[in-house]
Amino acid sequence: MSEECKYSCNTATETLEWIHAIVKLIAPYRYFLDAHVVNFFKDRLWEAVDEEWMDCLRKEPVENLLRIPSGVVRDHWPGSLKKFILTLRSLSLSREQADFQELSGMHITSISNVLAQGMNHKKKHEVEALSALVSLVSDQVGARTVVDVGAGQGYLAQVLAFDYQLSVIAIDACAHHGKITDARAERIKKHYVSKMHKNCTKQREFSVPKTVTCRVLSSDTLKALSNSPAENDLTGNQHLSQNCSVSQPSRLAEDILPSLSYSDSTLVIAGLHACGDLSVTMLRTFLECDKAKAVISIGCCYNLLSEEATGIADSSCGFPVSQGVKFAGVMLDKSARDLACQSADRWRGLGEHAGLHNFELHAFRAAFQMVLFRHYPNILLESPTIGRQGKALRRQQNQRILESNLHHGGPSEFGEPREGVAFHHEYSSIQNSKSSESRAVDRYSLFVKFCESGLDRLHLPHLGDTAYSAVWRESESYAELIGPYWSLRAALGPVLETLILLDRLLLLQEYGNDLEARLLPIFNPVLSPRNMAIIAKKIRN
């Protein structure tokens, strides 16, 4: 049960209306947005939530809690709670993968084994869909050159070059990635040349991606990039693949793209999960570079976006970027932007046991914060990072279970399970084991291991059992509230991501009638939660 979205974003006016509705809705719930859940016990975060909501949800089965971020409610819940969840859903972009048959001329083809080498299932799915979309848009705007921003190891760039015969410039901040891209491209080229020779087919020239190493600097104007422009070698229709080490700052729109593109060529700028501000840089570059006729941007890592300080008009910040959102005075701190990265689809797919044990890990981390607060208060002033301690414990236990199963001839197909599933396997195996050692392992002993692992990472001495047990006894009585609180907070994730994406779309729509822009979910949201592409094309020269 969920309400359909009542808003649209076909024009700047419609988009801004949608944004204002989101801002109005989330205003009373800033306590969720600004919360650091590691302080759940220390700051008694549950006390800020409607008491009727918490009393209701603390009794709910885990599977019902996991469906809250997807906008699913139960009839017996309080009316105000149902309205909150359903309204959030109605203001969120639909993440269901688009029907590409509606895009005339777009055909997704399976990547060959040689091109797919090194890709996991998620990456292959993403590259197949995005490369087909980039090819379609390139044809629509008459461009034969694609700039792959944040190219990584060149998976997208190589598919565009070898399968779609596009000229590709692959820009990445890591020189090592450029070398890998070059090496893979040469191996792929040799494979195809050898195959043509073996089959006695007509030889054709292959365009390998040109790699450029550019280090992204601070967020000034269009994100200053260092570069030394690569020279194009068009002899025999061959395109040199070069790494450009750089020294002097250059603007991406004014220097790098025009100097790297072919003189008679127009550009399409594309990026598959370009991190943080880089996705916004792509949009600004598209607006300012005359040769850029289209952009396809799929962002990620909203928590890494730079944010405009109050009273300081920095046009290069990552959020907000549109004038409409800036004038509305909307601000999201890192905690809220991190929340925007939550995936309702993955929450829904966790299952009861995985969800339960994920909640228990959050309780461990929040209780560990109490240990630090009481026994090492100075360390909290340094904002310590202890890493994914639960994940480390799960890996250790999973390895022991795997070895035990192999030794006894049990199942061996563990692979790399999802975070919650992994914990479920090891935790259940511990609890269900018939050995005396396993029977002695309970939630408290796991909490002690969690604390000691965290203290080790912080280079702090271990505490006595009394210190751990005192914190655990105090926290355990409220641990059942972690699931309801976390689920309600996660329900804000999709609407916060919607706000960030609409802000980017509005930036393009504010440009005027010289371009058309849209949002389109192009990946399966379970496989790839950041599945929303911003697609824009200039319709006038």
Side-chain angles (χ1 to χ4, degrees):
M1 177 181 177
S2 61
E3 291 187 359
E4 294 296 325
C5 183
K6 302 175 182 178
Y7 294 87
S8 59
C9 53
N10 297 317
T11 66
T13 300
E14 291 177 351
T15 302
L16 193 56
E17 181 183 1
W18 191 343
I19 289 170
H20 284 158
I22 291 175
V23 173
K24 181 179 179 180
L25 173 69
I26 64 178
Y29 302 102
R30 290 298 309 193
Y31 58 83
F32 274 135
L33 273 59
D34 300 334
H36 297 278
V37 186
V38 294
N39 294 325
F40 183 77
F41 298 123
K42 185 176 77 70
D43 295 342
R44 302 178 68 86
L45 296 180
W46 64 89
E47 293 182 349
V49 187
D50 188 306
E51 186 175 353
E52 186 183 18
W53 294 8
M54 297 301 283
D55 286 343
C56 170
L57 294 179
R58 72 192 303 172
K59 305 170 187 175
E60 284 296 306
V62 173
E63 56 265 33
N64 289 348
L65 299 180
L66 295 175
R67 293 186 179 97
I68 288 176
S70 297
V72 180
V73 300
R74 309 294 294 180
D75 290 340
H76 63 275
W77 291 359
S80 59
L81 174 59
K82 291 190 289 186
K83 181 180 179 181
F84 169 72
I85 295 170
L86 293 175
T87 305
L88 284 174
R89 183 59 182 163
S90 72
L91 287 171
S92 300
L93 285 160
S94 171
R95 310 313 296 263
E96 183 178 354
Q97 187 177 12
D99 181 2
F100 292 119
Q101 293 182 350
E102 297 177 1
L103 299 176
S104 177
M106 180 169 169
H107 303 285
I108 298 178
T109 57
S110 181
I111 300 172
S112 66
N113 289 337
V114 65
L115 279 169
Q117 187 175 8
M119 297 186 198
N120 58 25
H121 181 53
K122 173 178 178 289
K123 182 64 69 175
K124 184 173 182 288
H125 169 72
E126 293 168 345
V127 170
E128 285 178 344
L130 182 55
S131 60
L133 179 60
V134 171
S135 176
L136 173 65
V137 172
S138 297
D139 288 342
Q140 290 174 343
V141 299
R144 299 306 303 165
T145 301
V146 176
V147 180
D148 182 6
V149 180
Q153 298 186 14
Y155 295 131
L156 174 64
Q158 286 151 4
V159 172
L160 291 172
F162 287 100
D163 273 1
Y164 293 96
Q165 289 82 55
L166 290 165
S167 300
V168 183
I169 302 162
I171 299 179
D172 196 85
C174 177
H176 178 63
H177 284 167
K179 292 177 182 178
I180 292 176
T181 300
D182 291 342
R184 287 188 83 252
E186 287 303 317
R187 289 198 302 271
I188 294 168
K189 180 180 178 181
K190 288 180 180 178
H191 169 83
Y192 282 121
V193 170
S194 175
K195 187 175 181 180
M196 287 189 299
H197 180 74
K198 182 178 180 179
N199 296 335
C200 299
T201 56
K202 182 180 179 181
Q203 298 286 315
R204 71 177 177 88
E205 298 291 346
F206 290 96
S207 172
V208 300
K210 175 181 301 180
T211 59
V212 179
T213 299
C214 292
R215 184 172 64 88
V216 178
L217 304 178
S218 60
S219 55
D220 289 330
T221 316
L222 281 177
K223 294 292 179 299
L225 298 174
S226 305
N227 97 108
S228 176
E231 295 297 326
N232 296 302
D233 181 1
L234 304 180
T235 305
N237 205 26
Q238 298 291 315
H239 309 301
L240 292 181
S241 178
Q242 303 178 18
N243 280 313
C244 300
S245 57
V246 291
S247 56
Q248 297 300 319
S250 296
R251 288 163 63 94
L252 179 58
E254 294 179 355
D255 298 329
I256 294 178
L257 300 189
S259 63
L260 291 177
S261 63
Y262 310 109
S263 58
D264 59 347
S265 175
T266 55
L267 299 169
V268 171
I269 304 173
L272 174 55
H273 294 151
C275 191
D277 285 355
L278 192 55
S279 294
V280 177
T281 300
M282 293 169 57
L283 303 181
R284 292 195 175 105
T285 300
F286 163 69
L287 294 176
E288 297 205 6
C289 179
D290 290 337
K291 287 192 173 184
K293 300 304 180 183
V295 63
I296 304 169
S297 172
I298 305 169
C300 70
C301 303
Y302 306 128
N303 54 308
L304 299 181
L305 289 170
S306 61
E307 190 152 3
E308 182 175 300
T310 304
I312 300 177
D314 179 5
S315 62
S316 68
C317 66
F319 180 87
V321 295
S322 67
Q323 291 302 313
V325 177
K326 288 180 180 180
F327 289 153
V330 181
M331 301 294 292
L332 298 175
D333 65 11
K334 183 180 181 301
S335 180
R337 286 182 273 113
D338 188 62
L339 179 56
C341 298
Q342 291 283 345
S343 168
D345 295 278
R346 286 189 171 176
W347 268 72
R348 190 174 59 246
L350 274 180
E352 177 185 357
H353 294 291
L356 174 64
H357 297 311
N358 267 332
F359 293 150
E360 289 177 343
L361 281 178
H362 294 312
F364 287 170
R365 180 60 184 91
F368 178 61
Q369 192 81 346
M370 290 282 286
V371 171
L372 294 178
F373 177 68
R374 291 184 177 175
H375 299 280
Y376 301 103
N378 291 336
I379 200 71
L380 292 181
L381 299 176
E382 302 172 9
S383 300
T385 299
I386 66 168
R388 305 290 290 276
Q389 294 299 295
K391 202 169 186 178
L393 287 174
R394 288 194 297 274
R395 280 197 300 267
Q396 295 166 11
Q397 280 292 352
N398 204 47
Q399 183 61 33
R400 286 196 287 272
I401 296 165
L402 174 59
E403 292 172 355
S404 175
N405 282 335
L406 290 174
H407 179 71
H408 294 98
S412 60
E413 50 197 298
F414 276 73
E416 180 62 29
R418 279 186 311 209
E419 183 174 319
V421 177
F423 185 81
H424 163 54
H425 283 322
E426 67 195 46
Y427 191 92
S428 298
S429 296
I430 291 171
Q431 300 291 47
N432 295 332
S433 172
K434 295 181 180 180
S435 72
S436 60
E437 179 181 354
S438 293
R439 284 197 304 270
V441 176
D442 57 13
R443 293 174 75 237
Y444 171 68
S445 64
L446 287 175
F447 168 64
V448 172
K449 289 181 180 180
F450 186 101
C451 290
E452 291 178 345
S453 178
L455 293 173
D456 286 341
R457 293 204 176 193
L458 296 172
H459 307 291
L460 297 172
H462 292 184
L463 299 168
D465 184 70
T466 303
Y468 299 130
S469 61
V471 168
W472 186 246
R473 282 197 306 271
E474 180 180 342
S475 304
E476 190 176 24
S477 58
Y478 299 105
E480 66 177 351
L481 299 177
I482 280 273
Y485 184 90
W486 195 277
S487 300
L488 287 171
R489 186 172 183 270
L492 285 156
V495 81
L496 291 175
E497 183 179 20
T498 297
L499 174 60
I500 291 171
L501 292 172
L502 291 177
D503 174 47
R504 296 178 182 184
L505 179 65
L506 185 58
L507 169 71
L508 299 172
Q509 292 173 332
E510 289 172 343
Y511 187 78
N513 297 324
D514 292 341
L515 62 82
E516 58 183 34
R518 65 181 299 192
L519 286 163
L520 188 72
I522 68 170
F523 305 140
N524 180 325
V526 177
L527 275 178
S528 184
R530 307 280 77 77
N531 74 334
M532 193 67 67
I534 296 180
I535 307 165
K537 295 178 287 186
K538 292 175 182 173
I539 56 180
R540 297 180 185 176
N541 294 326

